[in-house]
Structures are given as structure tokens and as C-alpha cells.
Amino acid sequence: MTQLPTSTEKKLGLVIDLDTCVGCHACVISCKGWNTENYGAPLSDTDAYGADPSGTFLNRIHSYEITQENAPAQLVHFPKSCLHCEDAPCVTVCPTGASYKRVEDGIVLVNESDCIGCGLCAWACPYGAREMDALEGVMKKCTLCVDRIYNNNLPEEDRVPACVRTCPAKARHFGDLGDPESDVSRLVAERGGMDLMPEQGTKPVNKYLPPRPKQDEAQEFDILAPYLEPVADTPSGFLGWLDKALEHIPGSGPRFPDPDARQKSGKL
Amino acid sequence: MHPAPSVIIFTVFSGLGFGMLVFLGLGLPPVTGWTAFFFYLAAYAMAVGGLMASAFHLGNPQRALKAFTQWRTSWLSREAWVSVAALAVMGIHAFAAVFFGAILAPIGWLGAGLSVFAVYCTSMIYAQLKTVPRWNTWLTPLHLITLSFGGGAALMGHTSLAGLLIVLAAALQVAHWQVGDRALARSGTTLASATGLGNRGRVTAFEPPHTGSNYLLKEMVYTVGRGHAAKLRLIALALGYGIPGVLLLLPIPGVWPSLIAVPSHIIGILAARWLFFAQAEHVVGLYYGKRAA
Ligand code: SF4
Ligand code: SF4
Ligand code: SF4
């Protein structure tokens, strides 16, 4: 059914921390691995070792640069997968009912045996979260690892999405964003979690935690600075005597030659 | 968006076919017998041919019948229903006209209404998409319906009416281009809002997620050069609107103005439709740093 539920019992989703993501792409690989071996059609690659490789992925990592005047540029790695939107335009446009949003947990899924591969849902998604598989001709998207999170055959610590389980920087968090007391909801409240493209009116469930401002915190590091300064500028005592003695050995220049002086003397 | 030939052919020819069916349904002119047979043959060939071309666009066309199930929310599903209904109702009308020489006026009116609605549904598939600001305007259905009427009138031999409608469609076409060129900037969607990082400084795409291409880039991040697009717009304006408009409006006797005007119109509209897709900027391109706005 492509009519969206007016409300869902839970709002399962991801909280992605742009401050800690190191852009290692480990979640991309674990997502592709899990979702190729499990739910639905495998995620195909075409011309994988040729001149024009291409493949289906449910999760991709962009990198953006933020430049400011009078401050160093900042690099932000930006993981992007389906945001399991509350007002999911990808669902309502689907002519077959293959795309749907689950009432029990809000996960947006594609029933591949109903999908005709018209691609309209991918056009309707502003985030590029849906990709048509080139070999199967059906629409693929993040399932929120629905076949892991409820899977009693897995040890309890593995009952989270593959990308969350894999992330070495703990930049991806999974939970119920409909419950204000959940860990993920508290994280969003504390860190000012945000929506992507709020003006598109999709009401994404997934939230992004903004990177912490780096240069404001530079102050804190200055407390340590005095301890890290060089102990002596000019050697004295025995080292001072040795330094001077070495300078007098023929052929040896000053210990820290002045580059201009070297150029003038013609010795390079 | 990727200008797929199947979708260009589908939208152009189904628009023309349904445009003809509108006039046939209204009894303008009230044709019967062999004349009716050839008119209906042409209209059905274009409308059905267009719909079949659209099936080539599907990844799994064998399941196409499932597209009839979600008419409550999906314009694509509504289009499927309304097209079939229009073709069926007009089929009855055609049968009576061709074989019994009878014009079943109320059935014809119903069929004409459904034919207009079919073109409207097709246009709404594009106009509903907030993700493609260039299409997301009431000008899209208005232009496509006017074009369908204009082409239909030309094919039915209503020369002066066709000329007027084509001139009106030309004005709507230019408006669609003008509004469309600013639509992405006016939509408010930018890389800053796409990443949520805009309040920290200037955001630029540093590195894409993959070294090769992918479905998103091929399907939604198609780009045309400015100069190339401007040339094609001129060709579309001249062939699609200018030449047929003038030929149909001038009081030239005989059929030869129509014989030049109709093919010229179709070629021009095919070029315009190619641009309709090729120039449509999907907001996902922002994530790839591929949009100027
Ligand atoms: S992110 Fe895209 S695919 Fe996922 S629910 Fe939202 S609109 Fe649909
Ligand atoms: S590609 Fe499949 S899931 Fe997407 S709109 Fe078409 S039928 Fe529905
Ligand atoms: S939740 Fe699962 S399917 Fe979705 S991005 Fe993570 S690993 Fe991929």
C-alpha cells in the first residue's frame, strides 16, 4: 500500500555523527556485503574490473569541504543512506505498491516481487537513497537491515544494522527516534541533530549530528602549550662548548645554517 | 534527468494520439465510415504506441499490470487506468462510427474528457516531483495539455484552431523555460540545506563517494551545455511552433501547409521534449556538486 501510515508505532532509524565519521567507507562495504547475501536481489556490479565500473550500493559516503574566512577549512565525511522519511514521497508515487512504509516501525521497504522497475520512486527521493539494480531491474534501498534487527538467530550484539555494527568510529547509531527517552533521541537533543533538506517536506527519521566547531576548542589545547615549548633556545654548558667546538672544525658550517647566507656563499 | 528515447517518444506520441481522440470524441469533425477508420487508426497507433514505448523503460515489464493497483496515491497508476479507460470508451465510439455510421455523442464526450485527463495524468507524473524544481509547476500540465490539443487539432485538419493553439503552446513553452531556468535557485534547496552544514561556512563537494559512475549520476545528474541547449531551444521553437504556427494560420488553400506543418511540429516537439528531460535538474545532483545553484 502506497498510502503512508498517519503514524507509526516506532520510528526506527539512524543517527549519523558527522563529527566522528572518518570517511573510511567500512559501513559501505559491510552494507553491500550483508545486503548482497541476504534480503532480496543481490547488489550487482557491472564491469567491476573494466574501464567503466559501476555498482548498486545502499549507503555511500560523500566528503565536503567547509571554508570560512579567517578559519581553517574543515573536511566533513558524509554518510548517506535512506532516511526512512515520515512523509516519504518515494512511497506515494509508486504505481504498484512495491514501495511501502511499515506501520510497526516506520521502515521504508521495497517488495521486489511487485516492483516493475519504473524508477519513479528514485526520481521522487531527494537524497539519492534509491538505486535501480542494473541486472535485476528492481529498486534497491536501505532496509535498515530489517533482517538483522529482529533476527533471533544472531547474537544480541549483532541485532543492529550492519553499518552500525561495523563503524570503527561509532559514527552511526541505531534506535527508536519516536521515543524521546531512547539513547538516539537523547543524542539528537544534546548535539542538535538536524534534518537534511527540511524544505523538501519529507520529515526524515534519520538525523545528522553536526561536526563540533574545531577552532573554538583550540583555546583548551593552549593550556598545555607552555609544557610543550622547547626547553632552551641556545645550548649552554657542555652542549654549548661542543656546539662551538664543532663549528670550528673545517668544512662544517653553523649547526642551523641561515638559508640566505648559504645562498650568498654559493655553497648549496 | 537522462533523456531516455522511450520516454520522449511515449510522452510526445501519446499526447498527439490523445489530442486527436479529444477532437474525435467531440465530433469535430463528426467522421464515420472509412474516414473515421483512418483517423482512429492514426490516433490509436500514436496513443497505444506511445504507451508501449513507455513499457521499454521498465526494469520488469512482465509485471506491468501491477501498476494498476495504487491509483489512490500514484499519478503513474492513475495514468494507467485513465489511458485504458479513454482508449476503451473511445473504442466503442470508433466502432459505432466506423461500422454503423453512428455518432454516439455522450460516449464521445466521455471519451474526450478521459483523453484530456490521460494527458493530465502523464504531465502530473513530472509536475508532482518536488525533487525536480523545473517540472514542479502548474505550467507543466498546462503546457502539455495545450500541446496535445494543438497537435491533435493539426492532425484533424482544424488548421486555424491548430495554429492558434500552437502559438499559445509556444508562449507556454517559453514561460516554462524562463521559469524553469530559475526554478532550482528559487526552490531553496542547495548544497547547504542538503548537508545541513550551510551555517558553518561555504560548503563544496570535496570528493564523490565513488570513482566510477552510478545509477544516480546516469539517471538524474545528466547535464547539457548551455550553448547546446540554447541552439536546441531555437530549433524546437522554429520547427515545433514557429513554422507550423505560421503555415496553419496563413490562409493558404489546400492540404500542403498541413503536410509540412505536422511533421515539422512533431520534430520540433521531440527536440523540446529531449530538453525537457535533459535540462531537468534533480536536487540529488547537489550532493555531487553538479549543480550551479
Ligand atoms: S530517504 Fe528517499 S528513499 Fe528513503 S524514505 Fe526518504 S524519500 Fe524515500
Ligand atoms: S521502481 Fe518499483 S518500487 Fe519504485 S516506484 Fe516503480 S514499481 Fe514502485
Ligand atoms: S541499515 Fe543496513 S541496509 Fe541500511 S545502510 Fe546500514 S547496512 Fe545498509
Side-chain angles (χ1 to χ4, degrees), chain A residues 14 27 31 35 58-59 81 142-145 161-163 172:
Chain A
L14 301 178
C27 58
C31 171
N35 288 291
L58 311 182
N59 175 35
S81 48
C142 157
T143 64
L144 206 62
C145 287
C163 54
R172 299 177 77 108

Side-chain angles (χ1 to χ4, degrees), chain A residues 2 90-91 93-100 109-112 114-122 130 132 137-139, chain B residues 58 74 76 215:
Chain A
T2 53
C90 56
V91 170
V93 298
C94 173
T96 62
S99 281
Y100 61 106
L109 287 176
V110 176
N111 174 0
E112 292 171 9
D114 277 356
C115 173
I116 55 173
C118 66
L120 193 56
C121 54
R130 290 178 167 241
M132 178 108 69
V138 293
M139 197 49 73
Chain B
L58 301 179
S74 166
L76 185 48
Y215 169 75

Side-chain angles (χ1 to χ4, degrees), chain B residues 133-274:
Chain B
R134 186 183 282 279
W135 293 346
N136 189 222
T137 156
W138 52 268
L139 278 169
T140 304
L142 194 62
H143 178 227
L144 293 185
I145 289 174
T146 312
L147 211 49
S148 159
F149 286 167
L155 284 159
M156 294 299 298
H158 300 298
T159 45
S160 10
L161 177 64
L164 285 175
L165 284 165
I166 285 175
V167 170
L168 181 61
L172 288 166
Q173 173 72 82
V174 172
H176 199 266
W177 283 335
Q178 290 293 105
V179 173
D181 287 346
R182 292 191 307 269
L184 179 61
R186 286 171 55 156
S187 73
T189 298
T190 58
L191 182 53
S193 79
T195 57
L197 299 170
N199 55 354
R200 282 150 202 278
R202 210 172 78 83
V203 187
T204 45
F206 183 77
E207 216 178 18
H210 38 93
T211 48
S213 190
N214 73 348
Y215 169 75
L216 300 171
L217 288 172
K218 286 180 208 152
E219 182 76 7
M220 278 164 275
V221 196
Y222 194 89
T223 47
V224 225
R226 228 175 246 273
H228 189 53
K231 260 183 247 158
L232 266 171
R233 280 186 179 183
L234 278 182
I235 293 174
L237 262 187
L239 291 180
Y241 302 96
I243 294 172
V246 169
L247 283 175
L248 293 168
L249 282 174
L250 285 181
I252 312 169
V255 287
W256 71 263
S258 291
L259 287 183
I260 300 172
V262 169
S264 168
H265 176 69
I266 294 176
I267 293 168
I269 299 311
L270 284 170
R273 200 55 48 83
W274 187 89

Side-chain angles (χ1 to χ4, degrees), chain A residues 2 60-65 67-68 92-93 96-97 112-117 123-125 136-137 197 199 211, chain B residues 1 59-60 63 66-67 69-70 73-74 131 189 193 196 200 202 204 206-207 209-210 213-214 216 219 282 287:
Chain A
T2 53
R60 296 190 185 258
I61 317 301
H62 294 255
S63 297
Y64 298 104
E65 187 182 41
T67 44
Q68 292 163 286
T92 50
V93 298
T96 62
E112 292 171 9
S113 58
D114 277 356
C115 173
I116 55 173
W123 289 15
C125 170
E136 299 284 338
M197 291 188 189
E199 71 284 350
Chain B
M1 311 292 285
N60 277 284
R63 297 197 274 260
K66 298 212 165 167
T69 60
Q70 303 303 314
T73 68
S74 166
T131 49
T189 298
S193 79
R200 282 150 202 278
R202 210 172 78 83
T204 45
F206 183 77
E207 216 178 18
H210 38 93
S213 190
N214 73 348
L216 300 171
E219 182 76 7
H282 192 289
Y287 283 110

